[in-house]
């Protein structure tokens, strides 16, 4: 549950040390965060976070128990697509010290990366790639849950060295991680759905396509799309596509046949 700004731990220190415009931005950010129910709304919050951090590339990503970053379970604003592709292809998450840092606190990248310079060839390759892609400095906040880690990261030496900004991020990132965990719960919930249903959810919920546009994108008949969406609406107890996508975006569970029969 989000706490009002005046009740935040060390809020008096925050008010005393952080300039008034920054405090105002934090308050706006937290009000926006309280409204988040869907991935689109979470993307708006990440964009606001990026603005607070003077345009620094920002990312919110889910790392399931297996360690591989979830492709759909992430929001990336300003990060290099080439870096993300390299990171996944070379499985850098296995040797990235930031991804395995202790949860619950802001982590600066450069000290952790500096400590790894004398390590294995694989680690040296990772460090070389960090230098190549200007990923040597930044801040990450890690929140650990029973089935995954949520990592919020911002890139840049200025971000890492700005003490006042770090105060502000310490105040808002824990709740941001909790909201992201709830929003991305739908990816865990739909993991056992047929691929066609997952694709439809992605195209309509995440990208806002109509039934017809989704059919064209998937190269299937529109009546097939209608059939699958009708079945999904029944499973989630939704009357319209809008209700269906809201329920999925909010991470609501499907209605089982047993519970449906009991309620009927």
């Amino acid at each position: 549950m989000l706490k009002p700004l005046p009740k935040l731990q060390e809020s008096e220190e925050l008010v005393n040390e952080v300039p008034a415009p920054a405090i105002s931005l934090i308050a706006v950010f937290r009000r926006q965060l309280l409204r988040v129910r869907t991935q689109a709304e979470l993307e708006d919050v990440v964009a606001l976070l990026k603005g607070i951090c003077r345009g620094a590339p920002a990312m919110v990503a889910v790392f399931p128990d297996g360690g591989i970053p979830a492709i759909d379970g992430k929001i990336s604003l300003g990060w290099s697509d080439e870096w993300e592709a390299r990171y996944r292809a070379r499985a850098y998450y296995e040797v990235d010290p930031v991804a395995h840092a202790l949860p619950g606190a802001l982590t600066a990248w450069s000290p952790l990366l500096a400590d790894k310079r004398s390590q294995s060839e694989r680690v040296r390759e990772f460090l070389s790639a960090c230098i190549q892609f200007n990923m040597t400095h930044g801040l990450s906040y890690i929140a650990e849950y029973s089935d995954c880690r949520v990592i919020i990261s911002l890139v840049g030496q200025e971000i890492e060295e700005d003490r006042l900004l770090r105060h502000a991020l310490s105040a808002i990132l824990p709740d941001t991680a909790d909201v992201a965990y709830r929003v991305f719960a739908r990816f865990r919930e739909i993991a056992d759905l047929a691929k066609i249903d997952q694709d439809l959810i992605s195209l309509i919920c995440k990208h806002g396509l109509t039934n017809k546009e989704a059919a064209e994108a998937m190269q299937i008949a529109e009546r097939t799309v209608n059939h699958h969406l009708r079945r999904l609406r029944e499973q989630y107890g939704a009357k319209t596509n809008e209700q269906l996508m809201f329920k999925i975006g909010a991470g609501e569970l499907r209605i089982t046949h047993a519970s449906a029969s009991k309620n009927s």
Side-chain angles (χ1 to χ4, degrees):
M1 181 176 181
L2 301 183
K3 295 171 287 188
L5 184 60
K7 295 183 180 180
L8 285 169
Q9 186 179 7
E10 300 179 349
S11 60
E12 184 177 349
E13 180 183 357
L14 186 67
V15 171
N16 290 336
E17 295 194 24
V18 179
I23 292 292
S24 177
L25 279 174
I26 293 171
V28 170
F29 184 90
R30 291 179 62 78
R31 284 197 298 270
Q32 187 75 10
L33 195 60
L34 285 167
R35 301 188 183 101
V36 172
R37 295 293 182 274
T38 67
Q39 184 167 343
E41 292 168 342
L42 182 59
E43 288 176 356
D44 290 340
V45 164
V46 177
L48 182 56
L49 176 64
K50 182 180 176 183
I52 292 173
C53 297
R54 307 182 195 93
M59 176 181 284
V60 177
V62 173
F63 283 64
D65 284 338
I68 303 174
I71 294 177
D72 285 329
K74 76 175 175 66
I75 294 172
S76 173
L77 298 180
W79 283 50
S80 163
D81 291 338
E82 189 177 353
W83 165 255
E84 291 186 42
R86 173 81 67 87
Y87 192 93
R88 289 186 61 84
R90 301 296 298 169
Y92 284 153
Y93 49 85
E94 294 178 351
V95 297
D96 181 359
V98 176
H100 298 280
L102 292 175
L106 280 178
T107 298
W109 297 3
S110 58
L112 287 180
L113 297 178
D115 287 344
K116 295 293 183 180
R117 294 191 183 281
S118 61
Q119 299 296 319
S120 67
E121 181 178 347
R122 182 104 184 281
V123 173
R124 289 195 295 271
E125 178 196 333
F126 168 67
L127 293 174
S128 177
C130 288
I131 294 171
Q132 178 185 349
F133 288 93
N134 295 318
M135 301 293 286
T136 56
H137 291 77
L139 287 176
S140 289
Y141 178 83
I142 300 174
E144 192 165 58
Y145 303 92
S146 60
D147 56 349
C148 69
R149 280 187 163 203
V150 173
I151 302 181
I152 306 173
S153 295
L154 297 143
V155 183
Q157 184 170 353
E158 183 180 355
I159 296 299
E160 189 174 301
E161 296 175 351
D162 190 326
R163 182 174 57 86
L164 298 181
L165 182 58
R166 291 179 69 158
H167 271 291
L169 293 175
S170 294
I172 61 179
L173 292 189
D175 287 333
T176 306
D178 286 343
V179 170
Y181 176 76
R182 185 186 70 230
V183 169
F184 288 136
R186 69 187 177 91
F187 295 111
R188 299 189 297 280
E189 160 63 12
I190 69 175
D192 61 343
L193 290 177
K195 186 177 185 304
I196 186 172
D197 292 333
Q198 294 185 40
D199 290 343
L200 282 173
I201 289 170
S202 178
L203 290 172
I204 295 175
C205 183
K206 182 177 179 181
H207 300 288
L209 271 61
T210 64
N211 290 17
K212 182 177 180 180
E213 290 168 340
E216 292 173 352
M218 297 174 66
Q219 297 183 334
I220 59 177
E222 186 175 354
R223 64 177 179 276
T224 303
V225 168
N226 295 339
H227 167 73
H228 281 271
L229 287 173
R230 182 169 60 252
R231 193 162 48 80
L232 284 169
R233 287 196 299 271
E234 292 173 356
Q235 291 179 14
Y236 280 90
K239 294 182 179 180
T240 65
N241 283 355
E242 289 74 16
Q243 288 183 4
L244 171 65
M245 295 312 158
F246 179 84
K247 285 173 176 286
I248 292 173
E252 292 192 16
L253 299 178
R254 283 169 285 162
I255 299 173
T256 64
H257 292 299
S259 62
S261 299
K262 185 177 180 179
N263 293 333
S264 59

